[in-house]
Amino acid sequence: MRVAVIQQANSADLAANMDRSEALVRDAAAQGAELVMLQELHRSLYFCQTEDTDCFDLAETIPGPSTERLGQLARELDIVLVGSLFEKRATGLYHNTAVVLERDGSLAGIYRKMHIPDDPGFYEKFYFTPGDARFNSGASGFTPIQTSVGKLGLLVCWDQWYPEAARLMALAGADMLLYPTAIGWAPADDDAEKQRQLNAWITIQRAHGIANGLPVLVANRTGFEAAPPDGGDGIQFWGNSFISGPQGEFLAQADADSETVLLHDIDLQRSETVRRIWPYLRDRRIDAYEDLTCRFRD
């Protein structure tokens, strides 16, 4: 199956951002992609560089205008399309939410970001409520979304640092792990620190693929986004979107600075082969892991 991840630069023009996203998705579909994933919060600039109540105006309902447009695009191109939206769930209740649109344009499912950062330049706790640990249906928040191209273990950005999230998706039968992302460097960091951060980000996600015997798709944004006047120094998003296989092998990787449609043909049967020789799920000591639910072991 041919998959594509979109690496895009954003501006303050919401309509132009969506038009550009659509053009890149069309490019991916024209090259045979059946599954296409956009980056985190692709409608706008990364507004979490500062705390500003006016930014809540960017939020929208799901279903809503963006899911309608993405659904029409998925139906026209006969693809499964993954988007990332600032969701207004109710008055005063907002989420960082990934959406999956099926080939027929229907909404196959949503995933609300579970781990919410709060760091200089990434003030997400001001805007986003964490996803539900359990939905009203009783399903876990870490539940893959069933689609015509497989069960998608969809996680978002800060979730990518947590092995528990990837493991729970794998245990629920995910065929692949997907990470829409918006991450970059602070301009004040020196080159050595920037390289350490980038290497850590790549390594942790490839490791999730290895530990669970699954392919991993990562879509990051690129370009410099200045902070608002009362904010910080801005963020240089580091791109480097990639696709890796179930042994962590690079299948495709973008550079730091280019808008890119990154494509690769992945073989989901390889997970079966890899899990037979590296049977991590078989050898897990589930009888000895109860302390994983502790905040800290004193």
Side-chain angles (χ1 to χ4, degrees):
M1 176 178 65
R2 182 160 295 181
V3 301
V5 298
I6 306 299
Q7 179 170 294
Q8 182 180 343
N10 285 66
S11 73
D13 188 329
L14 301 184
N17 291 332
M18 283 295 282
D19 288 346
R20 182 59 179 155
S21 293
E22 179 174 328
L24 292 167
V25 170
R26 289 184 179 279
D27 186 0
Q31 296 184 67
E34 297 179 68
L35 169 64
V36 182
M37 180 174 65
L38 293 159
Q39 66 208 27
E40 184 184 20
L41 300 173
H42 52 79
R43 287 185 62 240
S44 67
L45 293 171
Y46 181 73
F47 52 87
C48 307
Q49 291 195 57
T50 188
E51 297 181 351
D52 183 351
T53 54
D54 287 343
C55 290
F56 287 103
D57 292 336
L58 295 169
E60 60 180 291
T61 59
I62 298 173
S66 289
T67 53
E68 177 67 22
R69 180 168 179 179
L70 294 174
Q72 290 175 354
L73 186 61
R75 181 170 60 251
E76 177 190 344
L77 300 177
D78 191 29
I79 61 172
V80 174
L81 179 56
V82 179
S84 174
L85 304 175
F86 184 13
E87 178 192 5
K88 181 178 181 179
R89 186 175 181 181
T91 300
L93 181 61
Y94 301 84
H95 297 282
N96 185 333
T97 303
V99 296
V100 179
L101 290 308
E102 241 313 346
R103 293 178 185 270
D104 63 359
S106 64
L107 183 63
I110 66 170
Y111 168 79
R112 293 179 173 127
K113 186 173 180 177
M114 296 287 279
H115 302 92
I116 310 297
D118 190 62
D119 300 296
F122 296 87
Y123 297 112
E124 294 196 14
K125 280 187 167 65
F126 182 78
Y127 297 101
F128 307 131
T129 298
D132 299 297
R134 295 277 170 184
F135 293 109
N136 290 339
S137 65
S140 167
F142 295 113
T143 297
I145 296 171
Q146 180 68 62
T147 74
S148 57
V149 297
K151 295 178 74 172
L152 307 185
L154 184 54
L155 300 159
V156 177
C157 202
W158 192 231
D159 293 326
Q160 66 208 177
W161 299 95
Y162 293 86
E164 299 91 342
R167 176 70 87 204
L168 288 169
M169 286 294 190
L171 292 177
D175 292 308
M176 62 192 86
L177 301 172
L178 296 88
Y179 294 101
T181 299
I183 190 169
W185 296 296
D189 289 336
D190 62 31
D191 288 344
E193 175 60 18
K194 289 177 179 178
Q195 193 61 49
R196 286 191 293 269
Q197 291 178 13
L198 175 60
N199 288 343
W201 176 77
I202 292 171
T203 301
I204 193 70
Q205 293 174 95
R206 292 173 68 197
H208 297 330
I210 296 167
N212 294 290
L214 294 175
V216 176
L217 283 63
V218 183
N220 191 25
R221 67 174 65 202
T222 187
F224 178 75
E225 296 186 16
D230 59 346
D233 298 324
I235 301 173
Q236 179 66 49
F237 291 95
W238 65 43
N240 278 276
S241 303
F242 69 89
I243 302 167
S244 62
Q247 290 170 300
E249 69 275 23
F250 278 121
L251 302 176
Q253 186 175 16
D255 64 17
D257 302 314
S258 303
E259 286 196 323
T260 304
V261 176
L262 194 66
L263 296 119
H264 196 80
D265 295 327
I266 61 172
D267 178 6
L268 295 180
Q269 286 301 114
R270 270 194 41 75
S271 290
E272 176 71 31
T273 300
V274 169
R275 284 183 175 181
R276 290 182 183 187
I277 60 173
W278 287 350
Y280 300 129
L281 299 187
R282 181 195 70 189
D283 295 338
R284 295 175 64 240
R285 286 296 306 277
I286 59 173
D287 58 317
Y289 295 158
E290 60 268 16
D291 280 359
L292 285 176
T293 60
C294 297
R295 179 67 68 184
F296 186 75
R297 295 179 73 192
D298 295 316

